[in-house]
Amino acid sequence: MAKPNMVFRARSRRRSFNVGLKTRSRSTGVYLADTFSVTPVLHLSLSARWNRTELRLRDQIGTALTGDHAYARLNLGAGMAWNVTDDATAYAAYAENNRAPTPAELSCADPQTLCRFPNAFLSDPPLDDVVARTWETGVRGRTGTVAWSGALFRTDLADDIIFISAGPIMGSGYFANVGDTRREGVELDLSRETGPVRWFASYGYVRATYQTAFQIQAPDNPAADANGEISVRPGDRIPGQPLHSLKLGADWDVAAPLTVGLDLQLSSSRYLRGDEANLTKPLSGFAVAGVHASWRRGPVELWLRVSNLFDAEYETFGIYGDADELGFDDPRFLSPGAPRSLLIGLRAKL
């Protein structure tokens, strides 16, 4: 289990990434749940689930990857639903869940022997399973032709596992339990169907943060210290996770066989992997629009979709790497979003 102010270091040396690994996993679960109606409008639920996961790893080249691991836990849950009116319900819930490390994570968890994620695994030290505790409360209902819902949530993860980029080769590093992390936020949904027109709007605010302080190697991050390390503090945002996201869409039945529609996806900025301490400029947010249409005649449907209608240029992921190795100056390696695309298809129900 990771402790506050842990320091994660790795050897910065090259090595072969040849791998031969055979794995087997077995999961067993026992689940009990029941709902009690305290009054005609108030309902309580209780649940319990016992999970056990067994992982067997056998190295096909040497012995470094060979190991057996077992994880077991009892997860509890409770909830309440209150029918405020015939068209509105308020609810609150608490739930626990656990996730056992995957064979890939277990086989890539030694900071002294880096692996190349996700293509190679080198070493087999144990990792703790991740335990999530989630609180959620919200309301949902319908007003006339409008359906709506809103929710507040918080998920605290103990012994969360992340991939720590380290070493001289881009994409190399190791998995580690880094302590506690948190995801908390708001989800809002609105939709309406009136005659031939249907539309929806969905907004999400998710703040994903580290809750445990630690130091890791990030030699390619220009804001790292003289030792090539960065210090992560509680409250720093987890890379790759945008704060805000918004989805909008609408469909219009123009005529009996023809339907046309449009959609819009917006996402705010996100930090690059290798900048867990949020020291450098994040990736910019983006907006992507699309249109679609379908023509139906009996059991046959002809459909068309144009994604990224305006051919926007944007990035969905970024990582810091060794630019000199590839002859570049900028250590930011970015994954571009998909360009404009056109798909045409035919469906038939028989």
Side-chain angles (χ1 to χ4, degrees):
M1 179 175 180
K3 304 297 183 184
N5 298 312
M6 285 194 69
V7 179
F8 295 94
R9 293 190 175 92
R11 292 178 182 172
S12 297
R13 60 184 179 87
R14 298 179 185 275
R15 61 164 298 163
S16 169
F17 291 105
N18 295 326
V19 173
L21 179 65
K22 181 181 292 186
T23 68
R24 185 181 69 187
S25 63
R26 176 180 297 172
S27 297
T28 304
V30 179
Y31 182 79
L32 296 174
D34 202 355
T35 299
F36 309 89
S37 296
V38 181
T39 71
V41 297
L42 181 63
H43 313 281
L44 301 179
S45 61
L46 298 173
S47 65
R49 181 183 177 93
W50 180 78
N51 294 326
R52 179 177 173 83
T53 301
E54 299 175 357
L55 298 167
R56 183 176 186 270
L57 285 69
R58 293 296 180 264
D59 197 326
Q60 304 299 294
I61 297 178
T63 60
L65 299 180
T66 297
D68 295 294
H69 308 267
Y71 301 89
R73 191 175 193 278
L74 177 65
N75 297 307
L76 304 177
M80 178 196 72
W82 174 33
N83 299 327
V84 183
T85 68
D86 292 339
D87 297 318
T89 300
Y91 67 92
Y94 169 77
E96 297 178 353
N97 197 5
N98 72 301
R99 178 181 76 82
T102 65
E105 292 169 338
L106 285 169
S107 301
C108 179
D110 187 351
Q112 301 303 316
T113 311
L114 305 182
C115 70
R116 195 164 191 172
F117 178 73
N119 301 316
F121 316 123
L122 300 166
S123 71
D124 186 29
L127 291 172
D128 294 327
D129 58 342
V130 181
V131 177
R133 297 176 175 86
T134 299
W135 296 88
E136 182 178 355
T137 184
V139 292
R140 55 178 175 261
R142 178 178 292 273
T143 303
T145 58
V146 177
W148 46 267
S149 66
L152 300 173
F153 66 89
R154 170 181 285 183
T155 299
D156 290 314
L157 290 89
D159 294 324
D160 202 1
I161 298 173
I162 70 167
F163 183 76
I164 297 177
S165 301
I169 299 178
M170 187 178 65
S172 65
Y174 61 98
F175 290 98
N177 292 109
V178 297
D180 298 341
T181 62
R182 174 176 293 167
R183 281 82 172 165
E184 58 185 347
V186 179
E187 293 180 344
L188 301 173
D189 292 285
L190 197 64
S191 63
R192 185 179 185 183
E193 181 173 352
T194 53
V197 178
R198 300 173 299 279
W199 58 264
F200 75 90
S202 179
Y203 169 75
Y205 171 85
V206 180
R207 184 172 182 83
T209 58
Y210 298 105
Q211 296 297 303
T212 300
F214 59 93
Q215 288 180 278
I216 58 173
Q217 282 194 331
D220 300 311
N221 188 324
D225 64 18
N227 296 319
E229 296 180 351
I230 57 176
S231 299
V232 180
R233 301 160 301 177
D236 286 340
R237 286 172 51 194
I238 298 174
Q241 305 291 323
L243 273 177
H244 306 276
S245 61
L246 177 65
K247 295 182 180 180
L248 305 171
D251 288 296
W252 176 32
D253 296 330
V254 179
L258 178 63
T259 298
V260 297
L262 57 87
D263 55 80
L264 180 65
Q265 177 183 351
L266 299 95
S267 178
S268 63
S269 62
R270 60 196 77 190
Y271 285 97
L272 282 71
R273 179 179 290 170
D275 187 25
E276 286 75 10
N278 304 169
L279 302 175
T280 64
K281 181 181 178 181
L283 295 177
S284 299
F286 61 85
V288 180
V291 296
H292 54 270
S294 64
W295 182 89
R296 297 179 180 85
R297 180 66 71 181
V300 178
E301 178 186 4
L302 177 65
W303 58 270
L304 173 149
R305 177 170 181 80
V306 180
S307 301
N308 195 357
L309 179 63
F310 302 107
D311 203 22
E313 295 184 1
Y314 63 99
E315 295 81 30
T316 58
F317 176 79
I319 185 172
Y320 280 105
D322 186 355
D324 293 337
E325 181 182 346
L326 300 177
F328 297 112
D329 297 326
D330 190 347
R332 294 159 56 99
F333 291 82
L334 310 180
S335 296
R340 181 191 297 122
S341 63
L342 170 64
L343 292 175
I344 301 176
L346 184 67
R347 298 190 188 100
K349 294 183 179 180
L350 303 178

